[in-house]
């Protein structure tokens, strides 16, 4: 059974051109004019693009005393509805738990996925078991390791752990990810705010000013340089962290920044809504910022100093958000966005003239595939690539509503916004999953996608020659010769 997509314009990160795309099984087998297949999809007026890749989701994640409400079933269904055909989630060991054990837990959940997926491995504690198991994790095709510099007393790692882990990731040819917020300062500000009687959701934003993010991003960049590891900064929300990333890139450091669609399109005014639920539903870390920070993020996407747009999809119901009534530090942190990321970025990015369609493809798909080691299997419209495709109708419109969304939660942070630019069809490895908003995808169709390591890089750039010279490494990650 073959499928041909006809009468559309192929739009990739590099090029736009008229061609038909022929799919056999789960692969693209031909791209040319005048192709014929068993089934024909009409793409008149549409663009044929690589399916979206969301490099940052938290599905069914145990967090802040509960579990995020979208699991791999509802979360990946929502992804496909919005043109996203792959998610990269996070396997999150609890402190003391082995990495392979945590991976098994995530494998048990992800079997229900409608679209393909991978994981980043979180490093939430440090020890010989973690050091040893990191190699097996890389061999399984998980080549990116996430570090939380916030969530003190829970997920946070200290600088000694950060440095040891970064060195190990660098030696394994992987890439280090950071949630960059100064967790000590956040904890201190949170305690003061509560003591002063500031218990509402808006205090969450006060407890995490842009400086905590700028400081941690600078620190992570410097530690990564000393360790000789490429660095990917998740959810860049403000100029303070963006500025650090720009400077690092200009210096030749391999550092990438990931803004979220929420930070690009929603601002801190949401927290001053007098409706407690409205504000709490938008509590996430980092919080939404003001317009100047938003402008900085858009400028970064335009110039290339920021590379990809993600969601950090970590959805909680209103009932879950209400755990934090009377104490903002107990509001589960996180918002949804998987279904809306691409239509929102198209509406606010392409329709406004900020981004070209090719830049849209780069930011929603191709750059993630390249940075995270799965290009050109993913993120490409090429012969031999997986047939993860979205037939994008730039004229189709809808108003976002929790009533019609796939996500399991009871609201939507973009409620009431009209978007123009939607999938006409979404295909996941050759299977038509969405037709004009109608979902026909299959639970369990998604597969785990192993990713390539980047190889070791960057070491010659460090000022610290003694750290960049070849070094015998002990199991604890400290050179035998000492530093
Ligand atoms: N931020 C959130 O808002 N939720 C999940 C984890 C995170 O870093
Ligand atoms: Zn985070
Ligand atoms: Zn409201
Ligand atoms: Zn996250």
């Amino acid at each position: 059974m073959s499928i041909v997509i006809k009468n559309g314009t192929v739009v990739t990160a590099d090029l736009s051109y008229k061609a038909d795309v022929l799919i056999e099984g789960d692969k693209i087998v031909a791209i040319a004019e005048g192709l014929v297949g068993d089934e024909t999809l009409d793409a008149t007026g549409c663009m044929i693009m690589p399916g979206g890749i969301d490099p940052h989701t938290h599905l069914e994640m145990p967090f802040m005393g509960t579990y995020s409400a979208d699991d791999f079933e509802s979360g990946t269904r929502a992804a496909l509805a919005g043109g996203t055909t792959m998610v990269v989630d996070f396997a999150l060991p609890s402190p003391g738990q082995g990495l392979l054990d945590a991976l098994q837990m995530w494998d048990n959940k992800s079997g229900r996925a409608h679209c393909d997926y991978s994981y980043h491995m979180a490093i939430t504690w440090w020890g010989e078991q973690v050091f040893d198991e990191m190699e097996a994790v890389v061999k399984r095709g998980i080549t990116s390791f996430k570090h939380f510099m916030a969530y003190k007393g829970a997920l946070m790692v200290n600088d000694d752990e950060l440095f040891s882990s970064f060195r190990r990731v660098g030696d394994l040819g992987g890439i280090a990810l950071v949630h960059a917020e100064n967790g000590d300062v956040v904890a201190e500000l949170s305690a003061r705010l509560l003591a002063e009687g500031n218990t509402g959701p808006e205090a969450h934003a006060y407890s995490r000013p842009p400086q905590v993010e700028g400081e941690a991003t600078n620190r992570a960049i410097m530690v990564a340089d000393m360790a000789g590891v490429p660095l990917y900064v998740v959810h860049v929300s403000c100029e303070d962290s963006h500025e650090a990333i720009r400077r690092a890139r200009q210096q030749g450091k391999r550092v990438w920044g990931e803004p979220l669609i929420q930070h690009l399109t929603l601002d801190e005014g949401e927290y001053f809504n007098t409706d407690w639920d409205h504000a709490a539903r938008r509590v996430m870390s980092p919080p939404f910022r003001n317009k100047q920070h938003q402008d900085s993020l858009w400028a970064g996407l335009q110039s290339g100093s920021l590379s990809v747009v993600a969601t950090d999809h970590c959805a909680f119901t209103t009932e879950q958000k209400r755990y934090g009534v009377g104490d903002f530090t107990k509001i589960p942190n996180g918002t949804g966005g998987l279904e809306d990321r691409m239509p929102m970025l198209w509406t606010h990015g392409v329709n406004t003239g900020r981004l070209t369609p090719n830049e849209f493809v780069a930011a929603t798909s191709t750059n993630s595939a390249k940075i995270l080691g799965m290009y050109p299997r993913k993120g490409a419209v090429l012969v031999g690539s997986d047939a993860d495709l979205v037939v994008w109708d730039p004229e189709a419109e809808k108003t976002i509503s929790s009533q019609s969304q796939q996500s399991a939660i009871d609201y939507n942070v973009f409620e009431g916004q009209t978007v123009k630019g939607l999938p006409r069809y979404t295909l996941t490895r050759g299977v038509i999953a969405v037709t004009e908003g109608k979902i026909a995808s299959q639970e369990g169709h998604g597969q785990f996608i192993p990713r390539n390591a980047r190889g070791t890089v960057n070491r010659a750039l460090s000022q610290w020659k003694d750290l960049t010279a070849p070094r015998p490494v002990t199991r604890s990650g400290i050179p035998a010769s000492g530093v």
Side-chain angles (χ1 to χ4, degrees), residues 164-306:
S164 295
S165 179
F166 276 16
R167 288 169 69 88
R168 179 65 166 154
V169 177
D171 285 339
L172 292 169
I175 177 170
L177 272 61
V178 279
H179 169 130
E181 289 184 304
N182 185 317
D184 287 314
V185 173
V186 169
E188 189 64 24
L189 287 175
S190 300
R192 283 186 193 205
L193 285 159
L194 282 177
E196 290 161 1
N198 291 299
T199 60
E202 70 286 357
H204 172 80
Y206 299 148
S207 75
R208 313 178 98 101
Q211 290 91 332
V212 303
E213 192 180 326
E215 185 283 324
T217 303
N218 273 289
R219 180 158 36 105
I221 287 168
M222 296 302 165
V223 174
D225 189 36
M226 290 185 278
V229 69
L231 182 71
Y232 178 112
V233 184
V234 305
H235 49 51
V236 174
S237 75
C238 59
E239 165 61 10
D240 305 59
S241 48
H242 178 200
E243 191 266 336
I245 292 163
R246 282 201 305 275
R247 181 159 22 86
R249 289 171 67 87
Q250 204 167 20
Q251 291 166 343
K253 292 171 185 161
R254 289 171 178 84
V255 176
W256 296 273
E258 169 209 86
L260 306 182
I261 190 62
Q262 297 92 321
H263 291 115
L264 286 161
T265 60
L266 299 171
D267 67 57
E268 62 187 4
E270 303 283 350
Y271 300 121
F272 303 110
N273 193 298
T274 52
D275 173 9
W276 190 96
D277 285 340
H278 181 103
R281 287 162 171 169
R282 287 147 181 89
V283 163
M284 66 176 301
S285 296
F288 302 157
R289 308 293 191 190
N290 67 28
K291 294 284 181 203
Q292 278 166 298
H293 292 296
Q294 281 187 342
D295 286 346
S296 166
L297 302 183
W298 284 110
L301 285 177
Q302 290 172 200
S303 68
S305 55
L306 298 174

Side-chain angles (χ1 to χ4, degrees), residues 51-191:
I53 298 170
D54 192 331
H56 187 164
T57 68
H58 300 281
L59 301 175
E60 204 180 340
M61 178 175 76
F63 189 55
M64 296 186 73
T66 184
Y67 280 83
S68 56
D70 278 315
D71 57 15
F72 277 86
E73 196 284 312
S74 63
T76 55
R77 184 157 39 83
L80 288 168
T84 291
T85 53
M86 175 157 178
V87 300
V88 189
D89 207 77
F90 291 80
L92 203 75
S94 42
Q97 185 186 22
L99 307 186
L100 297 173
D101 204 35
L103 213 45
Q104 185 59 54
M105 285 174 55
W106 257 259
D107 280 342
N108 294 344
K109 306 184 212 206
S110 59
R112 298 181 64 201
H114 291 245
C115 71
D116 289 354
Y117 57 89
S118 175
Y119 326 110
H120 310 283
M121 175 55 70
I123 300 298
T124 55
W125 62 288
W126 189 246
E128 287 183 352
Q129 186 188 357
V130 173
F131 181 95
D132 288 345
E133 289 188 3
M134 284 169 85
E135 188 163 14
V137 169
V138 169
K139 287 207 173 109
R140 267 210 44 188
I142 296 163
T143 53
S144 47
F145 293 85
K146 164 81 170 288
H147 305 76
F148 290 89
M149 300 169 80
Y151 298 114
K152 190 176 182 179
L155 302 171
M156 179 169 131
V157 287
N158 294 319
D159 290 350
D160 52 350
E161 299 166 314
L162 199 67
F163 185 49
S164 295
S165 179
F166 276 16
R167 288 169 69 88
R168 179 65 166 154
V169 177
D171 285 339
L172 292 169
I175 177 170
L177 272 61
V178 279
H179 169 130
E181 289 184 304
N182 185 317
D184 287 314
V185 173
V186 169
E188 189 64 24
L189 287 175
S190 300

